[in-house]
Amino acid sequence: MSTCSVSKGCFVFKPSPKKRRVSQKTAIHFGEGENDSEDRELRFDTCQSLWNQIKLETEQIQEDLNKQLLDNLVSFLRRSHSDFQEKKTEWTCRMKSREIPTAALVLGVNVTDHDLTFRNLSEALRNNITPYIALLEAKDCPGVKNLMQKLMGQLMNCSTDVVSLEDEDSVQVSQNRIRCSMNSLIDWYKSVTKKTDSETLSKKRTSSSRHQQSPPVVVIFKDMESFTTKVLQDFIVISSQHIRELPLVLIFGIATSPMIIHSLLPHSVSSLLCIELFQSLSCKEHLSTVIDKLLLTSRFPFKLGEKVLQVLINIFLYHDFSVWNFIKGFQLCIVEHFYSQPLSVLCCQRADAKKRVNSLSHDQCENIRRLPSFRRYVERQEAEKQIALLTADNFLKETTQKLLEDLHVYHENYVSVLRCLHVFTCSLPKYPLGKQIRELHCACLENQVWETEDYESFLQLARMLNKSDLETMLQQCVEILVSSSGNEFDKAIGKLKEFLTQFHKLEAEAFQEQDVSVSSQKELQKKTDLYHLQKTLLELKDSRRSKKLTKFEMLRFEVVDYIDSLVRNYLVPADHKTLHEIVYFNTASVLRGHLNAAPRIALHTALNNPYSYLKNEALKSDGGSISNKAPDICIVYKLHLECGRLINLVDWLEAFSTVVTAVEGPNADAASSDQVDDIIHARFIRAVSELELLGFIKPSKQKTDHVARLTWGGC
Amino acid sequence: MRRLSGKGRGALEVKFVPDEEVLKHIADDAGIKLRKDKAQPAVSVKRFVKKLENISDDEAQEILEEKDYVAALGICAQDPVGNGSSVSGGEVYSFKSPKRSSRLAELASELAQTPGQSVAPDHSKCPDKTAKTPQSSQRSSRVQQRNKKKEFVSTTPYRLRKRLADPYLESESEYSASCSEEEDEEDQKEDNTVLSGQKTPAKTKAASTPPPGNTLAKKNKENKMSNLVEEYFEAHSSSKVLTSDRTLQKLRRRRLSQQTLHDLLKKAPLAYAAEIKELNQLHESLFSKWMLQLHLGFNIVLYGLGSKRDLLEKFRTSLLQDSVHLVINGYFPSITVRSILNSITEEVLDHIGTFRSPLDQLDFIIERFKEDSSLELYVLIHNLDSQMLRGERSQQILAQLSSLPSIYLIASVDHINAPLMWDQAKLSLYNWLWYETTTFSPYVEETSYENSLLVQQSGSLALSSLTHVLRSLTLNARGIFRLLARYQLENKDNPSYPGLSFQDFYQQCREAFLVNSDLTLRAQLTEFRDHKLIRTKRGADGVEYLLIPVDDSTLTDFLEKEDEDV
């Protein structure tokens, strides 16, 4: 069946049920088919399980980070209507002023991440406070009527959880029949609460004790800024009229700043709200935690290369601030890595990797031999060993196991030392190696960090640290190293602890020295004579310059040198490690192409320089110019660039035909030229309508047979 | 582009200055101050950026080096083939430059004169450098210039012009006195060129063009180097259009019907078919990867020059034969979201019944897909950015559809501004993976619908619809319409013709025994209006004027045909 039609734009294709596969296996599409299928499936499974682990982890992180916020909100909701339950007089006085308790939830600009937060929130509320929750979005509520409809729909559906199942039908029917008004909502609320009341009384408050007796009705506005003011105002005014019968609580999700409430709502309306502000964690902190938990850990075998990480962070910082997108990008990295790297089958937990190395096929061994990092490794070996590595599969497997083990140890050590280094860098003035640990991580991955200028300045600054800072940092380092899983650090810990005790000793010594210095100062005070003062000061200066370093300074140098040696030992960039290709994903260009594509640049390149796509010598040109044998659309495009706002079609056509006929040569005879002209004309029409489709021009009514240019400058 | 327009503008060049350069500029000044507070001098821009971060508050540290980012963007242009040239933002999004009417022609002849070769980048600079070379070379280049001008500005018949266009047949003698005046001007200009030294011949050419360029030329003489600002604004603000007044009507073969166009294009061989095939094969090798990524929850969007329809069709026929899929031709002129949703509910889900609004329908679909996890649907959309689908609401609905885990969307976009359709919320719903699939194939289907084409052929369908509608009307009604058409043609030379007033029309119809009361006439007119055959306009005096919104040539054709029939 063809999909071209002049009367239809949608075509549905349904294969006969017999032919239809019940559920296609995704793994079928995995791999390019050059490897044996078993390996491919294994790779896919590894990929999926890894992704699932990471997904769980990220969700856990989000939940943990939101915990504080949710707890605060829950307690606020408890408080807000505690008066209503006890039917106190205080409540009634408040209600005289008709204030609706409102929580303003400032969530930050990364709107796309909010969904998860709201899901967690409504879950938490459902468990702790009330079953009556309605989540509203601006796009569903163009008017108050729609809002009420949506609200009642959601509330009455959720009430079925509490009301036993047999009532479901009646509720369903009534939803359609009841006019959506505040009164019917109140009626509904009364009936529901009465029912639960009686239920709880009969059951002697056994089952539904987790909810209060008359739970509040929570209405969440997910994206408060996008609601039309009229709708919000009307809803607030109406519901404030009924707050006495209906314990309503509003939650505003705010992306910008809490001031927006006051700019959206006039004073008369906002005074009906009793607003409490809640601030969620900023997305930057969220990202730091995610990077910390996903990348700077040896839990997950998969690693990101420097460029790739940079791309993901750039997208985050420059485009959306969305942690969720960052994670999506991370997922793409995983998929790409496992898809394109046949050896990624070894990118798994240590124990599995060992087994898998043993069962590698010969082809895979060849793949290992082809890895550039492995080649470098082989070149470093003795001749005998080289031959063995290149010929004997078994020996290769043994070595691979060892190398993988090495790689794993390297990661463990890397993370701990990186954190130690970060302890130092993050407290130095001007943060020579970046404030965030991710910047430090990138710097270390990029190249040998100790060769950079920033590192130089870090060392200089570190040599100027004062004692108390140095001590606390050392203490922190010791803690980090102790908690790390690597066992190579016993010596390092010992050394650091030794430094610490030396510092303590120094303190005691300094105590004794103090007396001397005080006395000398007293001497100085005695002599008020200007000449002598000058002299003594000069002497002091001289002595200070030539003076040997104090013990503390010596020790400080030692400490810094030791840290430096740790860095040089453990923070070697990953691509210096053998077999790093197995666990590191490094093709940043692919990632950037898929996530942060530049369609305009692609169009621009294709139109200006067709040779970059069509490898034909005739199209080859130097610089930005274009050959006149280029495809029609390129020529037409090139010609149109020379025009102003309006383009005369006739001129354009003529220019085009001049170019085209020149290419075809002057041999066109008078007899056939008529037809040639027609064809050129047709080609021109096609090219122009293609440019119109691409959005470069549009028909213009300003002048007959003119089109208007839609782009500026070169594109 | 930069080079070409730079040539045209001579000394006047609006240059895009990237951020890093601005930064560098500032850094030169500020660096001195900063030196005081740090032992090491600020060595590079990168360093300076870092310092700025530290000085400002905590937020600032998030700013990564601008330079790195720009560099990172530059690499974006790399295509899977690995042959992409990196184009910096400055080149693509430069300022609009003042254009002259003759540049089009100049470029064309420039391109034409270098057969088989690319235009040498400093082709035009050569005479500039050798400004003092013997007169002969100057002469010849001037001849060429005049050539080009002659070719395009004159209104001689096409045939003659074409002959003139051939540079090898040229002889000096063909130039008559009409050129002499300009020659003087040119000589003057030449002096200027020698003096200023920086001027390119292209500029001279441009300046010496007749009428529209004339004022320009004068201005140039006065202060040729400066006035960059003035000229920039002139190019933008002037309501005057600096293009020639020629119209397609004066050309011999001005319109082609859809069918002849199609036939003609069939005759023309597709250029670079082999290379295009190679490109396509490259893209086809990605099919299985697409399937994988679709299944993993991503949706795929294809961009790049050339029709991606065939590619998607190939994808469909090779991989989707055994699964339920929906193909949507976004370029179809009357496609709506409603029709898309309808085909899902009616044909995919076999649901009978109607919905109050597309949102309800969407809810229903989402519900169904969530309930039944075995339900899977592949959606292919050709031209997601088409006129009909680019609206905010349609995109929102499509995005929500695509966010369903068991709906797999693969779409293509062509418009240069297509990404502007999506805000962050929609983007995250779509969860796109971008694939550059430049195919260079002609957009045959996409441009085949009448409304997507330019003026060239709007006539044919209008004519056929005219005759079609008219044939179903009574004899009297046809007479009424013919009367109006004739009257309109009689007045076709009157540019301020407002239309035929209702009263006059009624009078004429009565005289021709076509109607007997103005009520019947009004009923008839309502029918015409319903079929969009006529348009009514209320004049300044409150009188109703009737017009046939069809161009004169079509109307003439129609009348001729009608006369034949009768």
Side-chain angles (χ1 to χ4, degrees), chain A residues 3 5 9 11 13 284 319 430 438 594 612-613 615-616 628-629 645 648 651 654 688 705-706, chain B residues 47 54 62 69 83 111 161 238 243-244 246 248 272 275 325 327 329 347 434 436 443 449 454:
Chain A
T3 53
S5 163
F11 305 88
F13 296 89
K284 283 187 302 180
H319 292 273
K430 290 169 191 166
R438 59 165 186 260
H594 289 336
S612 62
Y613 294 95
K615 299 287 179 205
N616 190 313
N628 54 8
K629 281 188 176 162
R645 276 178 301 129
N648 186 323
D651 286 349
E654 234 137 74
V688 168
D705 291 337
H706 274 66
Chain B
R47 213 186 181 89
N54 304 325
E62 295 291 358
Y69 183 64
N83 56 5
L111 284 171
R161 241 181 295 131
S238 69
T243 52
S244 63
R246 295 189 294 162
L248 287 169
Y272 306 109
E275 283 83 4
H325 57 278
V327 179
N329 294 340
E347 294 184 64
W434 295 77
E436 182 180 343
Y443 293 95
Y449 292 99
L454 283 177

Side-chain angles (χ1 to χ4, degrees), chain A residues 537-550:
Chain A
L537 280 176
L538 276 173
E539 269 171 19
L540 264 177
K541 201 180 158 199
D542 277 349
S543 68
R544 194 167 291 166
R545 194 179 292 159
S546 62
K547 198 171 63 178
K548 271 176 68 187
L549 295 167
T550 62

Side-chain angles (χ1 to χ4, degrees), chain B residues 24-254:
Chain B
K24 219 181 263 171
H25 186 73
I26 302 166
D28 284 346
D29 284 352
I32 304 157
K33 282 179 227 152
L34 278 162
R35 249 163 240 173
K36 284 178 200 159
D37 51 39
K38 200 167 181 183
Q40 293 162 315
V43 266
S44 65
V45 180
K46 188 173 170 183
R47 213 186 181 89
F48 174 63
V49 173
K50 271 242 167 86
K51 274 189 198 162
L52 274 182
E53 279 166 27
N54 304 325
I55 291 160
S56 54
D57 57 355
D58 288 355
E59 305 294 317
Q61 56 87 20
E62 295 291 358
I63 305 165
L64 277 159
E65 286 79 11
E66 195 87 6
K67 209 164 119 191
D68 288 355
Y69 183 64
V70 171
L73 269 183
I75 315 166
C76 278
Q78 266 178 357
D79 57 323
V81 203
N83 56 5
S85 62
S86 48
V87 183
S88 76
E91 273 174 71
V92 185
Y93 310 108
S94 59
F95 280 121
K96 193 174 179 182
S97 52
K99 307 284 184 194
R100 301 207 176 70
S101 51
S102 61
R103 275 299 289 153
L104 187 71
E106 280 162 23
L107 184 79
S109 46
E110 221 168 78
L111 284 171
Q113 274 167 13
T114 51
Q117 266 186 351
S118 58
V119 185
D122 49 2
H123 161 76
S124 61
K125 283 237 166 77
C126 280
D128 171 31
K129 279 179 203 150
T130 58
K132 302 241 158 130
T133 49
Q135 188 66 19
S136 60
S137 75
Q138 280 277 353
R139 197 94 203 132
S140 68
S141 76
R142 206 160 8 116
V143 169
Q144 273 186 1
Q145 289 165 21
R146 259 187 273 115
N147 257 344
K148 292 164 206 159
K149 201 165 49 199
K150 194 72 188 153
E151 283 164 29
F152 295 106
V153 178
S154 70
T155 45
T156 45
Y158 179 70
R159 204 136 278 292
L160 174 62
R161 241 181 295 131
K162 205 173 151 266
R163 197 154 51 82
L164 287 174
D166 195 340
Y168 306 108
L169 293 177
E170 263 335 313
S171 68
E172 189 92 16
S173 62
E174 284 200 30
Y175 289 96
S176 53
S178 67
C179 277
S180 61
E181 187 185 14
E182 285 158 33
E183 206 165 346
D184 290 340
E185 203 175 53
E186 243 172 79
D187 283 338
Q188 269 183 329
K189 292 248 61 141
E190 242 163 62
D191 296 341
N192 285 340
T193 320
V194 176
L195 281 175
S196 60
Q198 275 199 340
K199 270 206 169 165
T200 59
K203 168 128 188 169
T204 326
K205 283 182 247 165
S208 58
T209 43
N214 219 356
T215 49
L216 218 64
K218 260 181 203 152
K219 195 177 265 167
N220 272 339
K221 263 181 226 162
E222 284 161 15
N223 36 13
K224 10 176 219 313
M225 304 293 278
S226 59
N227 273 350
L228 186 139
V229 181
E230 258 176 53
E231 202 156 327
Y232 175 83
F233 283 108
E234 187 184 24
H236 283 172
S237 60
S238 69
S239 55
K240 193 172 65 180
V241 180
L242 298 173
T243 52
S244 63
D245 296 330
R246 295 189 294 162
T247 57
L248 287 169
Q249 285 208 315
K250 287 179 190 144
L251 279 182
R252 193 167 36 79
R253 31 164 190 74
R254 52 181 193 271

Side-chain angles (χ1 to χ4, degrees), chain A residues 240-257:
Chain A
S240 74
Q241 301 283 335
H242 298 276
I243 193 73
R244 237 169 293 192
E245 295 114 306
L246 188 71
L248 196 71
V249 182
L250 305 182
I251 296 180
F252 291 144
I254 294 171
T256 50
S257 87

